[in-house]
Amino acid sequence: MKKLLSSLLVIAAAGSSAWANTAPFTLTSPDFTSGKLLPAAAGGKPGNDPACHGQNISPLLEWQNAPVNTKSLALIIQDPQGKNGLGVTHLVAYGIPATTQRLERTALSNGKGFVGGLNSKGSEAYIGPCPPPTLDLHYYTFTLIATDLPANALPAGLLREELLHRLEGHALASAGMIAGYQAKAAQ
């Protein structure tokens, strides 16, 4: 029994040191720092909504250290404060090949490099922030999910909730960032 316990302790110690040396799955951007403001150009384009004052330029996103078994990635950009707390989804993207480690600036706006799901406006591409022109900041979550699904496993046009349902049992890890944005009048 003592020998078995000793062996288990050695195995546990080896496993924990291997885990401690594993680099974390991270999402970053040279366009903004997590916890800070998104660039003004990332906001939605002016149009019917007076709160839109940007150019709808999606930020460049990069990631590192996805789990070894990753076959594809999904990205969701959400404003949990939007629609008076009911939330607004700005992007539902999935089918990003595991070999991809970055999405260039404007790629999300132009629907490049991913399978598009439907955001709150019914678009399959990035829709920039257009919060109400008040002094309150809105915060946007960027959640990148590593999955064991092949990049072509899911059809285009899934809503956020449908995507999350289909990823049940297939999500391996996640990485994220949070950024603030406020209407031009309040900046």
Side-chain angles (χ1 to χ4, degrees), residues 16-80:
S16 67
S17 68
W19 179 77
N21 291 331
T22 302
F25 181 34
T26 58
L27 175 64
T28 59
S29 176
D31 293 339
F32 69 97
T33 303
S34 193
K36 304 289 184 183
L37 291 177
L38 282 167
K45 283 185 180 179
N48 294 335
D49 188 338
C52 295
H53 299 284
Q55 297 170 21
N56 207 55
I57 296 175
S58 57
L60 186 153
L61 297 173
E62 302 173 312
W63 51 91
Q64 297 181 58
N65 307 314
V68 177
N69 299 339
T70 301
K71 293 183 182 171
S72 70
L73 298 123
L75 175 67
I76 297 170
I77 303 175
Q78 180 100 9
D79 171 6

Side-chain angles (χ1 to χ4, degrees), residues 81-144:
Q81 296 164 271
K83 287 176 56 181
N84 298 319
L86 299 178
V88 173
T89 301
H90 287 264
L91 177 74
V92 178
Y94 45 92
I96 302 166
T99 54
T100 302
Q101 293 191 335
R102 70 189 279 157
L103 288 167
E104 298 294 335
R105 195 170 292 112
T106 74
L108 299 172
S109 304
N110 295 324
K112 304 229 185 257
F114 62 91
V115 175
L118 296 178
N119 60 31
S120 293
K121 299 275 188 182
S123 169
E124 291 184 358
Y126 170 86
I127 298 291
C130 293
T134 65
L135 294 177
D136 295 331
L137 280 173
H138 273 229
Y139 292 93
Y140 298 81
T141 61
F142 291 69
T143 306
L144 184 67

